[in-house]
């Protein structure tokens, strides 16, 4: 039995699905399944009842999961106290960020970070929000930039900034000559959206339903850059966060229109574990990121 086995056990207990648990643990499904079987053999009990309706924790499984959570929490505490420092005594920070924010914000944050924290080292992980949250809870990363709301009893943090959305349309589109749009302009429009798993997709879908737009059938983008290029090619419209609007050097082929109605925005926060002993460090990092983001948004870049 090792710590990885306990991580598999807790993930499977929470997800009740081998595929989703394996994704959270960054492992293959056969590997996770095999390790759970080995764990059952080692303990001499059945931890999960396999039924047609899904996985059910046995009484022995519930007890084992409770113990596993305790062990993993203690290991996290140890990592927070010791592994947060580099070999030369400087602090090491492992930060998570989701793909529709990281490329557009972090290049502006990192130079300032190195100036303010010259004795610190930062490691970056880019993943979808659900994966980042689980890794944060499990102690695999120290902090994460996430879109609000974030609700978990193990996590604390604060809102950093609000980022508006822009409606991206091809330069030849009928709406392209408008300086600003009301939300009613979305009615009847088809918007290209990201694939499942992106928090930005969920936000865009909510706005589409609210204002009478619908998703472009048969297409789901893998990244914001894919969506941008599809708009430039004249394939349709999409919503882009403001920080992502002016990357790619194609501003002559795309119109990025503000929407007058409130709600076309996302709120971004920095989150870390309540048990962390780095609250002061996290607060300073939060101040830095908030200042950089606010400057970028105010400048329109």
């Amino acid at each position: 039995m090792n710590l990885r086995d306990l991580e598999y056990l807790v993930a499977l207990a929470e997800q009740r699905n081998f595929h989703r648990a394996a994704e959270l643990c960054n492992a293959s499904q056969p590997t996770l399944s095999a390790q759970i079987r080995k764990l059952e053999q080692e303990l001499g009990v059945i931890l999960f009842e396999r039924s047609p309706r899904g996985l059910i924790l046995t009484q022995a499984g519930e007890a084992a999961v409770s113990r596993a959570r305790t062990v993993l929490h203690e290991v996290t505490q140890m990592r927070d106290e010791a592994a947060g420092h580099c070999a030369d005594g400087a602090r090491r920070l492992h930060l998570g960020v989701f793909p529709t924010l990281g490329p557009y914000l972090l290049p502006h944050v990192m130079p300032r970070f190195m100036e303010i924290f010259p004795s610190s080292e930062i490691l970056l992980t880019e993943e979808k929000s659900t994966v980042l949250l689980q890794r944060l809870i499990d102690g695999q990363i120290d902090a994460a930039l996430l879109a609000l709301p974030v609700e978990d009893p193990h996590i604390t943090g604060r809102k950093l900034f609000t980022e508006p959305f822009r409606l991206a349309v091809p330069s030849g589109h009928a709406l392209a000559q408008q300086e600003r749009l009301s939300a009613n302009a979305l009615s009847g429009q088809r918007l290209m959206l990201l694939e499942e798993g992106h928090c930005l997709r969920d936000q865009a879908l909510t706005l589409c339903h609210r204002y009478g737009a619908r998703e472009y059938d048969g297409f789901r983008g893998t990244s914001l850059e894919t969506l941008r290029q599809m708009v430039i090619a004249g394939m349709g419209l999409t919503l882009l966060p403001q920080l992502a609007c002016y990357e790619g050097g194609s501003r002559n082929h795309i119109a990025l229109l503000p929407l007058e109605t409130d709600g076309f925005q996302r709120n971004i926060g920095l989150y870390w574990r309540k048990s962390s002993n780095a609250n002061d460090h996290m607060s300073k990092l939060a101040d830095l990121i908030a200042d950089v983001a606010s400057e970028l948004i105010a400048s329109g870049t």
Side-chain angles (χ1 to χ4, degrees), residues 97-106 145 161 163 243 266 268:
V97 63
F98 54 94
T100 61
L101 177 65
Y104 314 106
L105 176 62
L106 292 184
L145 287 163
F161 61 93
E163 181 182 16
L243 293 178
R266 63 180 180 180
I268 305 298

Side-chain angles (χ1 to χ4, degrees), residues 169-177 253:
V169 305
S171 57
H173 194 277
L175 296 175
Q177 304 308 313
H253 305 286

Side-chain angles (χ1 to χ4, degrees), residues 74 103 128 139 153:
E74 290 299 320
K128 294 177 181 178

Side-chain angles (χ1 to χ4, degrees), residues 115-265:
E115 290 177 6
I116 297 176
F117 304 104
S119 62
S120 293
E121 176 185 350
I122 191 165
L123 306 176
L124 300 174
T125 291
E126 187 177 80
E127 277 287 1
K128 294 177 181 178
S129 296
T130 53
V131 176
L132 290 178
L133 182 58
Q134 191 61 52
R135 290 188 179 181
L136 180 58
I137 294 169
D138 291 343
Q140 298 177 31
I141 59 177
D142 300 311
L145 287 163
L146 298 168
L148 278 66
V150 177
E151 298 177 358
D152 188 279
H154 305 95
I155 300 301
T156 188
R158 73 181 224 214
K159 174 184 170 183
L160 301 183
F161 61 93
T162 298
E163 181 182 16
F165 290 141
R166 299 288 183 256
L167 183 66
V169 305
S171 57
H173 194 277
L175 296 175
Q177 304 308 313
Q178 303 292 320
E179 292 187 1
R180 299 185 69 86
L181 295 174
S182 70
N184 293 332
L186 290 181
S187 180
Q189 299 287 351
R190 294 192 303 166
L191 269 62
M192 296 180 293
L193 303 180
L194 290 169
E195 62 185 357
E196 297 282 354
H198 290 277
C199 56
L200 183 56
R201 170 183 170 79
D202 298 332
Q203 294 166 321
L205 272 177
T206 298
L207 294 172
C208 285
H209 295 157
R210 183 181 303 166
Y211 296 108
R214 57 193 178 91
E215 183 178 3
Y216 191 102
D217 294 333
F219 174 84
R220 290 184 181 178
T222 57
S223 69
L224 290 182
E225 188 56 31
T226 300
L227 293 181
R228 185 202 322 278
Q229 294 301 324
M230 294 296 285
V231 173
I232 291 170
M235 297 300 297
L237 288 61
T238 195
L239 289 170
L240 293 177
Q242 183 173 320
L243 293 178
C245 279
Y246 301 122
E247 298 291 329
S250 302
R251 296 173 64 176
N252 293 333
H253 305 286
I254 190 172
L256 300 155
L257 308 174
L259 291 138
E260 295 175 348
T261 307
D262 291 338
F264 283 86
Q265 60 192 28

